[in-house]
Amino acid sequence: MTPLVSIIMGSTSDLPVMEKAMTFLDGMEVPFEVNALSAHRTPEAVEQYARGAAGRGVKVIIAGAGMAAALPGVIAASTTLPVIGVPIKGSVLDGMDAVLSMLQMPPGIPVATVAVNGAQNAAILACQMLALSNEGLAAALAGYKAGLSSKIRMANEDLAQLKFAFKTN
């Protein structure tokens, strides 16, 4: 099975965050691969990986990194594939350092960036990109989105049952 999405993290300490992307992709039946690569400790391996990703069938790369968060940008500099950055909270700046590193890319090297620890949204965005040419995945995403609205409807039904003297709804 050829991976359509590649999930990269700077180290396995990022795994608890990045597993949310893996869980979503697995649920959508989207083939993916997972690797740990460091822009600072293994720069040659990152560049080699990024240059070869499209040739292996990868269509979208999700890259999670904390602190200086160079990984998504280094990957984006070495491929024409879309790169989605996941800033990971891990420093005294609560992930804002990673957010800014991913957002402030130079012209020509875009990195789509999701919220701090937002790996699930990165996977959803990757699926939305893939769904442009995959009707089955588009239908699965539509079902997922419909499920989100039903969760809110059910929550409001539960909230309506709460009894307080001054609650008006």
Side-chain angles (χ1 to χ4, degrees):
M1 187 170 4
T2 301
L4 298 178
V5 177
S6 185
I7 298 173
I8 309 298
M9 62 196 88
S11 74
T12 55
S13 66
D14 301 332
L15 185 58
V17 170
M18 300 306 287
E19 273 184 316
K20 293 177 179 111
M22 296 174 216
T23 299
F24 188 84
L25 293 171
D26 205 52
M28 288 286 146
E29 300 180 0
V30 173
F32 64 93
E33 64 182 17
V34 180
N35 289 289
L37 294 167
S38 171
H40 299 109
R41 294 181 291 264
T42 60
E44 298 86 9
V46 171
E47 186 175 345
Q48 180 182 10
Y49 161 81
R51 290 190 190 284
R56 292 191 324 277
V58 172
K59 303 294 183 201
V60 182
I61 298 171
I62 298 172
M67 300 173 72
L71 183 61
V74 170
I75 291 170
S78 299
T79 186
T80 58
L81 294 175
V83 177
I84 304 168
V86 179
I88 295 178
K89 181 178 179 178
S91 71
V92 296
L93 299 177
D94 289 332
M96 285 307 298
D97 46 351
V99 168
L100 294 173
S101 292
M102 291 179 199
L103 290 177
Q104 296 300 324
M105 295 302 299
I109 314 295
V111 172
T113 305
V114 297
V116 173
N117 290 353
Q120 181 176 343
N121 270 355
I124 294 167
L125 182 56
C127 286
Q128 289 173 328
M129 292 173 180
L130 295 170
L132 292 171
S133 61
N134 182 326
E135 290 180 18
L137 185 54
L141 280 169
Y144 170 76
K145 294 274 185 151
L148 293 176
S149 63
S150 70
K151 279 184 180 180
I152 295 299
R153 278 194 305 277
M154 289 175 19
N156 278 316
E157 289 171 12
D158 291 343
L159 291 171
Q161 302 305 313
L162 294 176
K163 304 293 183 207
F164 289 92
F166 291 94
K167 182 175 173 281
T168 60
N169 66 339

